[in-house]
Amino acid sequence: MSVHEDELLVGKYPYVPKQKRAQQKRSALLESGRALFIEKGYEQTNAKEIASHAGVATGTFYRYFSDKRQLMMSLLEDQMESLLPPEPIWPNVDPEAFLATLWEQHFQRLDKLGLYRVLPELLLKDAQFAEILAEAKRKIHTRIHLSLIHAKELGIIWDDLDLDTVSWAIMVLSEKIPEKQHESGKQLDYHDLSKIICRFVFPPEVLKQLKSEEKNK
């Protein structure tokens, strides 16, 4: 099968084996695909290379995936939560310290996974990838929005905030962190970014009170 034919196959439902040995082969193909997509780029990688990297025959690749696109879809399905910004929890914590820790842990996982480096290439060329990611973002936005509504009901954030806008702003800032680190060549200070977010979400006196309560626990 040529690389061009490999591109034309979509394959909506991948085969997930039940036997342990077969599961190991499928896992090896997924990991090899992830590694090669990051190293070479999605467009420059084909099924034969993924199979070779995994130490299996090309035919074995097609036993589990109809094409490299289906393999990538499986990777994204398994790792989608890791690719998206984390959901802040505002009440009963020091918001600055909590958000800084949340972001640092998230971007450590993201860097280890590495797939975020491939996403820009995919989003430009594959409308279905773009829609899957957009739908996942909408779910995260909804969770952030609901947490802000809860915080507003408790009276701990600015009363005049448009919570929908704030929710999207938090997501956009989170998504730009890898880009900022790449362009500056410097590790981001997560506490500084957390302070920016918290200062437009919380009145100063409330933020001070929450930090004090957390310190005295």
Side-chain angles (χ1 to χ4, degrees):
M1 181 173 293
S2 70
V3 174
H4 180 65
E5 289 172 327
D6 183 32
E7 287 293 306
L8 294 177
L9 291 171
V10 175
K12 190 173 181 182
Y13 302 107
Y15 166 61
V16 180
K18 295 181 180 180
Q19 296 84 3
K20 183 176 180 180
R21 184 177 179 186
Q23 289 174 348
Q24 290 173 340
K25 288 182 179 180
R26 183 177 183 273
S27 295
L29 286 165
L30 285 167
E31 177 55 29
S32 292
R34 185 189 71 84
L36 290 174
F37 291 151
I38 294 168
E39 178 186 344
K40 300 180 60 178
Y42 178 78
E43 290 294 332
Q44 301 303 315
T45 301
N46 61 46
K48 184 177 180 180
E49 291 170 325
I50 294 172
S52 177
H53 189 279
V56 301
T58 304
T60 302
F61 176 97
Y62 289 109
R63 187 179 305 163
Y64 303 114
F65 306 101
S66 60
D67 58 13
K68 69 177 183 181
R69 183 179 184 277
Q70 189 186 69
L71 186 147
M72 174 58 88
M73 295 287 277
S74 296
L75 282 171
L76 288 179
E77 183 179 10
D78 291 342
Q79 303 293 340
M80 186 60 73
E81 287 291 324
S82 298
L83 292 168
L84 295 172
E87 174 193 354
I89 300 173
W90 306 109
N92 304 317
V93 295
D94 172 352
E96 288 183 4
F98 179 82
L99 191 55
T101 300
L102 199 66
W103 268 335
E104 184 172 9
Q105 292 173 347
H106 169 68
F107 286 104
Q108 285 175 349
R109 289 194 300 269
L110 198 65
D111 190 58
K112 184 177 180 180
L113 181 62
L115 279 178
Y116 72 92
R117 300 172 196 146
V118 186
L119 288 182
E121 179 185 358
L122 297 176
L123 293 175
L124 288 173
K125 299 179 179 180
D126 194 310
Q128 188 179 4
F129 274 127
E131 180 52 36
I132 289 171
L133 191 60
E135 177 59 27
K137 286 182 179 181
R138 286 190 287 268
K139 290 179 181 178
I140 295 292
H141 166 268
T142 298
R143 297 210 297 255
I144 295 174
H145 193 197
L146 289 173
S147 72
L148 286 169
I149 290 173
H150 180 49
K152 187 172 183 177
E153 290 170 348
L154 294 175
I156 61 173
I157 64 175
W158 293 106
D159 188 56
D160 60 347
L161 287 178
D162 183 304
L163 301 186
D164 181 71
T165 301
V166 173
S167 301
W168 283 116
I170 291 170
M171 288 194 64
V172 170
L173 282 171
S174 299
E175 290 168 356
K176 291 295 182 181
I177 288 175
E179 182 180 325
K180 181 183 184 301
Q181 291 185 153
H182 176 73
E183 290 179 354
S184 68
K186 297 179 181 179
Q187 180 67 36
L188 182 71
D189 188 321
Y190 295 103
H191 283 87
D192 283 347
L193 182 59
S194 180
K195 286 179 182 178
I196 293 171
I197 295 291
C198 289
R199 287 179 185 180
F200 73 67
V201 171
F202 299 95
E205 63 275 11
V206 173
L207 188 57
K208 183 177 180 180
Q209 179 184 346
L210 290 170
K211 290 167 71 69
S212 176
E213 290 175 355
E214 180 67 17
K215 185 176 180 180
N216 292 328
K217 281 183 180 179

